[in-house]
């Protein structure tokens, strides 16, 4: 994906994250997290492997699942 497209994608998800009455608090937090992940891995998403928004979102969702799955919320310290 091109640099300009990635910047537009970040902007799109940041705008959606500010629309809590439309999407709800949980979805807005997700959108903000997606935008942050794109920013964090910006250079990675410039790779030709990521041709569409769907490719990037699929990758991010896999990363989130891996990261969230590593933490046991029920585990006592």
């Amino acid at each position: 994906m091109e640099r300009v497209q990635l910047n537009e994608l970040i902007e799109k998800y940041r705008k959606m994250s500010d629309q809590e009455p439309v999407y709800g608090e949980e979805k807005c937090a997700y959108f903000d997290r997606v935008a942050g992940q794109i920013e964090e891995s910006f250079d990675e998403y410039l790779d030709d492997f990521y041709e569409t928004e769907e490719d990037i979102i699929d990758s991010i969702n896999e990363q989130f699942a891996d990261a969230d799955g590593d933490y046991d919320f029920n585990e006592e310290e």
Side-chain angles (χ1 to χ4, degrees):
M1 190 169 261
E2 300 293 324
R3 186 172 298 277
V4 171
Q5 293 171 303
L6 284 174
N7 283 322
E8 289 171 352
L9 201 55
I10 292 167
E11 185 178 327
K12 172 185 173 180
Y13 280 89
R14 288 281 183 222
K15 284 181 181 179
M16 290 182 353
S17 75
D18 289 335
Q19 297 179 22
E20 193 171 318
V22 175
Y23 298 110
E25 182 179 349
E26 190 173 315
K27 197 71 168 177
C28 286
Y30 166 78
F31 293 148
D32 188 57
R33 192 174 175 197
V34 166
Q37 185 64 36
I38 295 170
E39 288 174 331
E40 186 175 307
S41 302
F42 195 90
D43 290 338
E44 177 183 336
Y45 296 125
L46 289 173
D47 190 299
D48 289 340
F49 178 77
Y50 301 99
E51 295 179 3
T52 66
E53 177 179 345
E54 184 178 350
D55 293 339
I56 291 173
I57 299 304
D58 287 347
S59 170
I60 289 172
N61 285 335
E62 286 178 23
Q63 291 174 37
F64 289 172
D66 289 345
D68 294 347
D70 289 344
Y71 184 80
D72 184 358
F73 291 98
N74 297 319
E75 186 176 305
E76 293 187 29
E77 294 182 23

Coordinates of all heavy atoms in Angstrom, one line a residue:
M1 N 0.9 -1.2 0.0 CA 0.0 0.0 0.0 C 0.9 1.2 0.0 O 2.0 1.2 0.5 CB -0.9 0.0 1.2 CG -2.0 1.0 1.2 SD -3.3 0.8 2.4 CE -4.5 0.0 1.5
E2 N 0.4 2.3 -0.6 CA 1.2 3.5 -0.7 C 1.1 4.4 0.6 O 0.2 4.3 1.3 CB 0.7 4.4 -1.9 CG 0.7 3.7 -3.2 CD 2.2 3.5 -3.7 OE1 3.0 4.3 -3.4 OE2 2.4 2.4 -4.3
R3 N 2.1 5.2 0.8 CA 2.2 6.0 2.0 C 1.0 6.9 2.1 O 0.4 7.0 3.2 CB 3.5 6.9 1.8 CG 3.8 7.7 3.0 CD 5.2 8.4 2.9 NE 6.3 7.4 2.8 CZ 6.9 6.8 3.8 NH1 6.5 7.1 5.0 NH2 7.9 6.0 3.6
V4 N 0.5 7.5 1.0 CA -0.7 8.4 1.1 C -1.9 7.6 1.5 O -2.7 8.1 2.3 CB -0.9 9.1 -0.3 CG1 -2.2 9.8 -0.3 CG2 0.3 10.0 -0.7
Q5 N -2.0 6.4 1.0 CA -3.2 5.6 1.3 C -3.2 5.2 2.8 O -4.2 5.2 3.5 CB -3.2 4.3 0.5 CG -3.4 4.5 -1.0 CD -3.2 3.3 -1.8 OE1 -2.1 2.7 -1.7 NE2 -4.3 2.8 -2.5
L6 N -2.0 4.9 3.3 CA -1.9 4.6 4.7 C -2.2 5.7 5.6 O -2.9 5.6 6.6 CB -0.5 4.1 5.1 CG -0.1 2.7 4.6 CD1 1.4 2.4 4.9 CD2 -1.0 1.7 5.3
N7 N -1.8 6.9 5.2 CA -2.1 8.1 6.0 C -3.6 8.4 6.0 O -4.2 8.8 7.0 CB -1.4 9.4 5.5 CG 0.1 9.4 5.9 OD1 0.4 9.0 7.1 ND2 1.0 9.8 5.1
E8 N -4.2 8.1 4.8 CA -5.7 8.3 4.7 C -6.4 7.3 5.6 O -7.4 7.6 6.2 CB -6.1 8.2 3.3 CG -5.7 9.3 2.4 CD -6.0 9.1 0.9 OE1 -6.3 8.0 0.5 OE2 -5.8 10.1 0.2
L9 N -5.9 6.1 5.7 CA -6.5 5.0 6.5 C -6.4 5.4 8.0 O -7.4 5.2 8.7 CB -5.7 3.7 6.2 CG -6.4 2.4 6.5 CD1 -7.8 2.3 5.8 CD2 -5.6 1.2 6.1
I10 N -5.2 5.9 8.4 CA -5.1 6.3 9.8 C -6.1 7.4 10.1 O -6.8 7.3 11.1 CB -3.6 6.8 10.0 CG1 -2.7 5.6 9.9 CG2 -3.6 7.5 11.4 CD1 -1.2 6.1 9.9
E11 N -6.2 8.4 9.2 CA -7.2 9.5 9.4 C -8.6 8.9 9.5 O -9.4 9.3 10.3 CB -7.0 10.5 8.3 CG -7.9 11.7 8.5 CD -7.7 12.7 7.4 OE1 -6.6 12.8 6.8 OE2 -8.7 13.4 7.0
K12 N -9.0 8.0 8.6 CA -10.3 7.4 8.6 C -10.6 6.7 9.9 O -11.7 7.0 10.5 CB -10.4 6.3 7.5 CG -11.7 5.5 7.5 CD -11.6 4.4 6.4 CE -12.8 3.5 6.5 NZ -12.8 2.4 5.5
Y13 N -9.7 5.9 10.4 CA -10.0 5.2 11.7 C -9.9 6.2 12.9 O -10.7 6.0 13.9 CB -9.0 4.1 11.9 CG -9.5 2.9 11.1 CD1 -9.1 2.7 9.8 CD2 -10.4 2.0 11.6 CE1 -9.6 1.6 9.0 CE2 -10.9 0.9 10.9 CZ -10.5 0.7 9.6 OH -11.0 -0.3 8.8
R14 N -9.1 7.2 12.9 CA -9.1 8.2 13.9 C -10.5 9.0 14.0 O -11.0 9.2 15.0 CB -8.0 9.3 13.7 CG -6.6 8.7 14.0 CD -6.3 8.6 15.5 NE -4.9 8.2 15.6 CZ -4.5 7.3 16.5 NH1 -5.4 6.8 17.3 NH2 -3.3 6.9 16.5
K15 N -11.0 9.3 12.8 CA -12.3 10.0 12.7 C -13.4 9.1 13.3 O -14.3 9.5 14.0 CB -12.6 10.4 11.3 CG -11.9 11.7 10.9 CD -12.2 12.1 9.5 CE -11.5 13.3 9.0 NZ -11.8 13.7 7.6
M16 N -13.3 7.8 12.9 CA -14.4 6.9 13.3 C -14.3 6.7 14.8 O -15.3 6.5 15.5 CB -14.2 5.5 12.6 CG -14.6 5.6 11.1 SD -14.6 4.2 10.1 CE -13.9 2.9 11.0
S17 N -13.1 6.8 15.4 CA -12.9 6.6 16.8 C -13.5 7.7 17.6 O -13.7 7.6 18.8 CB -11.4 6.4 17.2 OG -10.7 7.6 17.1
D18 N -13.7 8.8 17.0 CA -14.3 10.0 17.7 C -15.8 10.0 17.6 O -16.5 11.0 18.0 CB -13.8 11.3 17.1 CG -12.3 11.5 17.5 OD1 -11.9 11.0 18.5 OD2 -11.6 12.2 16.8
Q19 N -16.5 9.0 17.0 CA -17.9 9.0 16.8 C -18.6 8.0 17.7 O -19.3 7.1 17.3 CB -18.2 8.7 15.4 CG -17.7 9.8 14.4 CD -17.9 9.4 13.0 OE1 -18.8 8.7 12.6 NE2 -17.2 10.0 12.1
E20 N -18.4 8.1 19.0 CA -18.9 7.2 20.0 C -20.5 7.1 19.9 O -21.0 6.0 20.1 CB -18.5 7.6 21.4 CG -18.8 6.6 22.4 CD -18.2 6.9 23.8 OE1 -17.0 7.4 23.8 OE2 -18.8 6.6 24.8
P21 N -21.2 8.2 19.7 CA -22.7 8.0 19.6 C -23.1 7.1 18.4 O -24.1 6.4 18.5 CB -23.2 9.4 19.4 CG -22.1 10.3 19.9 CD -20.9 9.6 19.7
V22 N -22.3 7.0 17.4 CA -22.6 6.2 16.2 C -22.2 4.7 16.5 O -22.9 3.8 16.2 CB -21.9 6.7 15.0 CG1 -22.1 5.8 13.8 CG2 -22.4 8.2 14.7
Y23 N -20.9 4.5 16.9 CA -20.3 3.2 17.0 C -20.3 2.6 18.4 O -20.1 1.4 18.5 CB -18.9 3.3 16.5 CG -18.8 3.7 15.0 CD1 -18.3 4.9 14.7 CD2 -19.2 2.8 14.0 CE1 -18.2 5.3 13.3 CE2 -19.1 3.2 12.7 CZ -18.6 4.4 12.3 OH -18.5 4.7 11.0
G24 N -20.4 3.4 19.4 CA -20.3 2.9 20.8 C -18.8 3.0 21.3 O -17.9 3.0 20.5
E25 N -18.7 2.9 22.6 CA -17.4 3.1 23.2 C -16.4 2.0 22.8 O -15.2 2.3 22.5 CB -17.6 3.1 24.7 CG -16.3 3.3 25.5 CD -16.5 3.4 27.0 OE1 -17.7 3.4 27.5 OE2 -15.5 3.3 27.7
E26 N -16.8 0.8 22.8 CA -15.9 -0.4 22.6 C -15.4 -0.3 21.1 O -14.2 -0.5 20.9 CB -16.7 -1.7 22.8 CG -15.7 -2.9 22.8 CD -16.5 -4.2 23.2 OE1 -17.2 -4.1 24.2 OE2 -16.3 -5.2 22.5
K27 N -16.3 -0.1 20.2 CA -15.9 0.0 18.8 C -15.0 1.2 18.5 O -14.0 1.1 17.8 CB -17.1 0.1 17.9 CG -16.9 -0.3 16.4 CD -16.6 -1.8 16.3 CE -16.7 -2.1 14.8 NZ -16.3 -3.5 14.5
C28 N -15.2 2.3 19.2 CA -14.4 3.5 19.0 C -13.0 3.2 19.6 O -12.0 3.6 19.0 CB -15.0 4.7 19.7 SG -16.4 5.4 18.8
A29 N -12.9 2.5 20.7 CA -11.6 2.1 21.2 C -10.9 1.2 20.3 O -9.6 1.3 20.1 CB -11.8 1.4 22.6
Y30 N -11.6 0.3 19.6 CA -11.0 -0.6 18.6 C -10.4 0.3 17.4 O -9.3 0.0 17.0 CB -12.0 -1.6 18.1 CG -11.6 -2.3 16.9 CD1 -10.7 -3.4 16.9 CD2 -12.2 -2.0 15.6 CE1 -10.3 -4.0 15.7 CE2 -11.8 -2.6 14.5 CZ -10.9 -3.6 14.5 OH -10.5 -4.3 13.4
F31 N -11.2 1.2 16.9 CA -10.8 2.0 15.8 C -9.6 2.8 16.2 O -8.6 2.9 15.3 CB -11.9 3.0 15.4 CG -13.1 2.4 14.8 CD1 -14.4 2.9 15.0 CD2 -13.0 1.2 14.0 CE1 -15.5 2.3 14.4 CE2 -14.2 0.6 13.5 CZ -15.4 1.2 13.7
D32 N -9.5 3.3 17.4 CA -8.3 4.1 17.8 C -7.1 3.2 17.9 O -6.0 3.6 17.5 CB -8.6 4.7 19.2 CG -7.5 5.7 19.6 OD1 -7.2 6.6 18.8 OD2 -6.9 5.5 20.7
R33 N -7.3 2.0 18.4 CA -6.2 1.0 18.5 C -5.7 0.6 17.1 O -4.5 0.4 16.9 CB -6.8 -0.2 19.2 CG -5.7 -1.2 19.6 CD -6.3 -2.3 20.5 NE -5.3 -3.3 20.8 CZ -5.6 -4.5 21.2 NH1 -6.8 -4.9 21.4 NH2 -4.6 -5.4 21.5
V34 N -6.7 0.4 16.1 CA -6.3 0.1 14.7 C -5.4 1.3 14.2 O -4.3 1.0 13.6 CB -7.5 -0.1 13.8 CG1 -7.1 -0.1 12.4 CG2 -8.2 -1.4 14.2
A35 N -5.8 2.5 14.3 CA -5.1 3.6 13.8 C -3.7 3.7 14.4 O -2.7 3.9 13.7 CB -5.8 5.0 14.1
G36 N -3.6 3.4 15.7 CA -2.3 3.4 16.4 C -1.4 2.3 15.9 O -0.2 2.5 15.7
Q37 N -2.0 1.1 15.6 CA -1.2 0.0 15.1 C -0.7 0.3 13.7 O 0.4 -0.1 13.4 CB -2.1 -1.3 15.1 CG -1.3 -2.5 14.7 CD -0.2 -2.9 15.6 OE1 -0.3 -2.7 16.9 NE2 0.9 -3.3 15.1
I38 N -1.5 0.9 12.9 CA -1.0 1.3 11.5 C 0.1 2.3 11.7 O 1.1 2.1 11.0 CB -2.2 1.9 10.7 CG1 -3.3 0.8 10.4 CG2 -1.6 2.4 9.4 CD1 -4.5 1.4 9.8
E39 N 0.0 3.2 12.5 CA 1.1 4.2 12.7 C 2.4 3.5 13.2 O 3.5 3.8 12.7 CB 0.7 5.3 13.7 CG -0.3 6.2 13.2 CD -0.8 7.2 14.3 OE1 -0.9 6.9 15.5 OE2 -1.2 8.3 13.9
E40 N 2.2 2.6 14.2 CA 3.3 1.9 14.8 C 4.1 1.0 13.7 O 5.3 0.9 13.8 CB 2.8 1.0 15.9 CG 4.0 0.4 16.7 CD 3.4 -0.4 17.9 OE1 2.7 0.2 18.7 OE2 3.7 -1.6 18.0
S41 N 3.3 0.4 12.8 CA 3.9 -0.5 11.9 C 3.8 0.0 10.4 O 3.7 -0.7 9.5 CB 3.1 -1.9 11.9 OG 3.2 -2.4 13.2
F42 N 3.9 1.3 10.3 CA 3.7 2.0 9.1 C 4.6 1.5 8.0 O 4.1 1.1 6.9 CB 4.0 3.5 9.3 CG 3.5 4.4 8.1 CD1 2.2 4.9 8.2 CD2 4.3 4.7 7.1 CE1 1.8 5.7 7.1 CE2 3.9 5.5 6.0 CZ 2.6 6.0 6.1
D43 N 5.8 1.3 8.2 CA 6.8 0.9 7.2 C 6.5 -0.6 6.8 O 6.6 -0.9 5.6 CB 8.2 0.9 7.7 CG 8.7 2.4 7.8 OD1 8.1 3.3 7.2 OD2 9.6 2.6 8.6
E44 N 6.0 -1.4 7.7 CA 5.6 -2.8 7.3 C 4.5 -2.8 6.3 O 4.5 -3.6 5.4 CB 5.2 -3.5 8.6 CG 4.8 -4.9 8.4 CD 4.3 -5.6 9.6 OE1 4.7 -5.2 10.7 OE2 3.5 -6.6 9.5
Y45 N 3.5 -1.9 6.5 CA 2.3 -1.9 5.7 C 2.6 -1.3 4.3 O 1.8 -1.3 3.4 CB 1.2 -1.2 6.4 CG 0.7 -2.0 7.6 CD1 0.6 -1.4 8.8 CD2 0.4 -3.3 7.5 CE1 0.3 -2.1 9.9 CE2 0.0 -4.0 8.6 CZ -0.1 -3.4 9.8 OH -0.4 -4.2 10.9
L46 N 3.8 -0.7 4.1 CA 4.2 -0.2 2.8 C 4.5 -1.3 1.9 O 4.6 -1.1 0.7 CB 5.4 0.8 2.9 CG 5.1 2.1 3.6 CD1 6.4 2.9 3.8 CD2 4.1 2.9 2.7
D47 N 4.7 -2.5 2.4 CA 5.1 -3.7 1.6 C 4.0 -4.0 0.6 O 2.8 -3.8 0.9 CB 5.3 -4.9 2.6 CG 5.9 -6.1 1.9 OD1 5.2 -6.6 1.0 OD2 7.0 -6.5 2.3
D48 N 4.4 -4.5 -0.5 CA 3.4 -4.8 -1.6 C 2.4 -6.0 -1.1 O 1.4 -6.2 -1.8 CB 4.1 -5.3 -2.8 CG 4.8 -4.1 -3.5 OD1 4.4 -2.9 -3.3 OD2 5.7 -4.3 -4.4
F49 N 2.8 -6.7 -0.1 CA 1.9 -7.8 0.4 C 0.6 -7.2 0.8 O -0.5 -7.8 0.7 CB 2.6 -8.5 1.6 CG 1.7 -9.5 2.2 CD1 1.6 -10.8 1.6 CD2 1.1 -9.3 3.4 CE1 0.8 -11.8 2.1 CE2 0.3 -10.3 4.0 CZ 0.1 -11.5 3.3
Y50 N 0.6 -6.0 1.4 CA -0.6 -5.3 1.8 C -1.2 -4.4 0.7 O -0.8 -3.2 0.6 CB -0.3 -4.5 3.1 CG 0.2 -5.4 4.2 CD1 1.6 -5.4 4.5 CD2 -0.7 -6.1 5.0 CE1 2.1 -6.2 5.5 CE2 -0.2 -6.9 6.0 CZ 1.2 -7.0 6.2 OH 1.7 -7.8 7.2
E51 N -2.1 -4.9 -0.1 CA -2.6 -4.2 -1.2 C -3.9 -3.4 -0.9 O -4.2 -2.4 -1.5 CB -2.9 -5.1 -2.4 CG -1.6 -5.8 -2.9 CD -1.9 -6.8 -4.0 OE1 -3.1 -6.9 -4.4 OE2 -1.0 -7.4 -4.5
T52 N -4.6 -3.9 0.1 CA -6.0 -3.3 0.4 C -6.1 -3.0 1.9 O -5.3 -3.6 2.7 CB -7.1 -4.3 0.0 OG1 -7.1 -5.4 0.8 CG2 -7.0 -4.6 -1.5
E53 N -7.1 -2.3 2.2 CA -7.4 -2.0 3.6 C -7.7 -3.3 4.3 O -7.3 -3.5 5.5 CB -8.6 -1.1 3.7 CG -9.1 -0.8 5.1 CD -10.3 0.2 5.1 OE1 -10.6 0.9 4.1 OE2 -10.9 0.3 6.2
E54 N -8.4 -4.2 3.6 CA -8.8 -5.5 4.2 C -7.6 -6.3 4.6 O -7.5 -6.9 5.7 CB -9.7 -6.3 3.3 CG -10.2 -7.6 3.9 CD -11.1 -8.3 2.9 OE1 -11.5 -7.8 1.9 OE2 -11.4 -9.5 3.3
D55 N -6.5 -6.3 3.8 CA -5.3 -7.0 4.1 C -4.7 -6.4 5.4 O -4.2 -7.2 6.2 CB -4.2 -6.8 3.0 CG -4.6 -7.4 1.7 OD1 -5.5 -8.4 1.7 OD2 -4.1 -7.0 0.6
I56 N -4.7 -5.1 5.5 CA -4.1 -4.5 6.7 C -4.9 -4.8 8.0 O -4.4 -5.2 9.0 CB -3.9 -3.0 6.5 CG1 -2.8 -2.8 5.5 CG2 -3.6 -2.3 7.8 CD1 -2.7 -1.3 5.0
I57 N -6.3 -4.7 7.8 CA -7.1 -4.9 9.0 C -7.1 -6.4 9.4 O -7.0 -6.7 10.6 CB -8.6 -4.5 8.7 CG1 -8.6 -3.0 8.4 CG2 -9.5 -4.9 9.8 CD1 -8.1 -2.1 9.5
D58 N -7.0 -7.3 8.5 CA -6.9 -8.7 8.8 C -5.6 -9.0 9.6 O -5.6 -9.7 10.6 CB -6.9 -9.6 7.5 CG -8.2 -9.7 6.9 OD1 -9.2 -9.4 7.5 OD2 -8.3 -10.2 5.7
S59 N -4.5 -8.4 9.1 CA -3.2 -8.5 9.8 C -3.3 -7.9 11.2 O -2.8 -8.6 12.2 CB -2.1 -7.8 9.0 OG -0.9 -7.7 9.7
I60 N -3.9 -6.8 11.4 CA -4.0 -6.1 12.7 C -4.9 -7.0 13.6 O -4.5 -7.2 14.8 CB -4.6 -4.7 12.5 CG1 -3.5 -3.8 11.9 CG2 -5.0 -4.1 13.9 CD1 -4.0 -2.4 11.5
N61 N -6.0 -7.5 13.1 CA -6.8 -8.3 13.9 C -6.1 -9.6 14.4 O -6.3 -10.0 15.6 CB -8.1 -8.7 13.2 CG -9.1 -7.5 13.1 OD1 -9.1 -6.6 13.9 ND2 -9.9 -7.5 12.1
E62 N -5.3 -10.1 13.6 CA -4.4 -11.3 14.0 C -3.5 -10.9 15.1 O -3.3 -11.6 16.1 CB -3.7 -11.8 12.8 CG -4.5 -12.6 11.8 CD -3.7 -13.1 10.6 OE1 -2.5 -13.3 10.8 OE2 -4.3 -13.4 9.6
Q63 N -2.9 -9.7 14.9 CA -1.9 -9.2 16.0 C -2.7 -9.0 17.3 O -2.2 -9.3 18.4 CB -1.3 -7.9 15.5 CG -0.3 -8.2 14.4 CD 0.3 -6.8 13.8 OE1 0.5 -5.9 14.6 NE2 0.4 -6.8 12.5
F64 N -3.8 -8.4 17.2 CA -4.6 -8.1 18.4 C -5.0 -9.4 19.1 O -4.9 -9.5 20.3 CB -5.9 -7.3 18.1 CG -5.7 -5.9 17.7 CD1 -6.7 -5.1 17.2 CD2 -4.4 -5.3 17.8 CE1 -6.5 -3.8 16.9 CE2 -4.2 -3.9 17.5 CZ -5.3 -3.2 17.0
A65 N -5.4 -10.4 18.3 CA -5.8 -11.7 18.9 C -4.6 -12.4 19.6 O -4.8 -12.9 20.7 CB -6.4 -12.6 17.8
D66 N -3.5 -12.3 19.0 CA -2.3 -12.9 19.6 C -1.9 -12.1 20.9 O -1.6 -12.7 21.9 CB -1.1 -12.8 18.6 CG -1.2 -13.8 17.4 OD1 -2.0 -14.7 17.5 OD2 -0.4 -13.6 16.5
A67 N -1.9 -10.8 20.8 CA -1.6 -10.0 22.0 C -2.6 -10.2 23.1 O -2.2 -10.3 24.3 CB -1.4 -8.6 21.6
D68 N -3.9 -10.1 22.8 CA -4.9 -10.2 23.8 C -5.0 -11.6 24.4 O -5.4 -11.8 25.5 CB -6.3 -9.8 23.2 CG -6.3 -8.3 22.9 OD1 -5.4 -7.6 23.3 OD2 -7.2 -7.9 22.1
G69 N -4.7 -12.6 23.5 CA -4.7 -14.0 24.0 C -3.6 -14.3 24.9 O -3.7 -15.3 25.7
D70 N -2.5 -13.6 25.0 CA -1.4 -13.8 25.8 C -1.7 -13.4 27.3 O -0.9 -13.8 28.2 CB -0.2 -13.1 25.3 CG 0.4 -13.7 24.0 OD1 0.0 -14.9 23.7 OD2 1.2 -13.1 23.4
Y71 N -2.7 -12.7 27.5 CA -3.0 -12.2 28.8 C -4.2 -12.9 29.4 O -5.2 -12.9 28.8 CB -3.2 -10.7 28.8 CG -3.4 -10.1 30.2 CD1 -2.3 -9.8 31.0 CD2 -4.7 -9.8 30.7 CE1 -2.5 -9.3 32.3 CE2 -4.8 -9.3 32.0 CZ -3.7 -9.0 32.7 OH -3.9 -8.5 34.0
D72 N -4.0 -13.4 30.6 CA -5.1 -14.1 31.3 C -5.7 -13.2 32.3 O -5.2 -12.9 33.3 CB -4.6 -15.4 32.0 CG -5.7 -16.2 32.6 OD1 -6.9 -15.8 32.5 OD2 -5.4 -17.3 33.1
F73 N -6.9 -12.6 32.0 CA -7.6 -11.7 32.8 C -8.0 -12.3 34.1 O -8.2 -11.6 35.1 CB -8.8 -11.0 32.1 CG -8.4 -10.2 30.9 CD1 -8.4 -10.7 29.7 CD2 -8.0 -8.9 31.2 CE1 -8.0 -9.9 28.6 CE2 -7.6 -8.1 30.1 CZ -7.6 -8.6 28.8
N74 N -8.2 -13.6 34.2 CA -8.6 -14.3 35.4 C -7.5 -14.7 36.3 O -7.7 -15.2 37.4 CB -9.5 -15.5 35.0 CG -10.7 -15.0 34.3 OD1 -11.4 -14.1 34.6 ND2 -11.1 -15.8 33.2
E75 N -6.3 -14.6 35.8 CA -5.2 -15.0 36.6 C -4.9 -14.1 37.8 O -4.9 -12.9 37.7 CB -3.9 -15.0 35.7 CG -2.7 -15.6 36.4 CD -1.5 -15.7 35.4 OE1 -1.7 -16.3 34.4 OE2 -0.5 -15.1 35.8
E76 N -4.8 -14.7 39.0 CA -4.5 -13.9 40.2 C -3.0 -13.8 40.4 O -2.3 -14.7 40.1 CB -5.1 -14.6 41.4 CG -6.7 -14.7 41.4 CD -7.3 -15.2 42.6 OE1 -6.6 -15.0 43.7 OE2 -8.3 -15.8 42.6
E77 N -2.7 -12.6 40.9 CA -1.2 -12.4 41.1 C -0.8 -12.9 42.5 O -1.5 -13.0 43.4 CB -1.0 -10.9 41.0 CG -1.2 -10.4 39.6 CD -0.9 -8.9 39.5 OE1 -0.2 -8.3 40.3 OE2 -1.5 -8.3 38.6

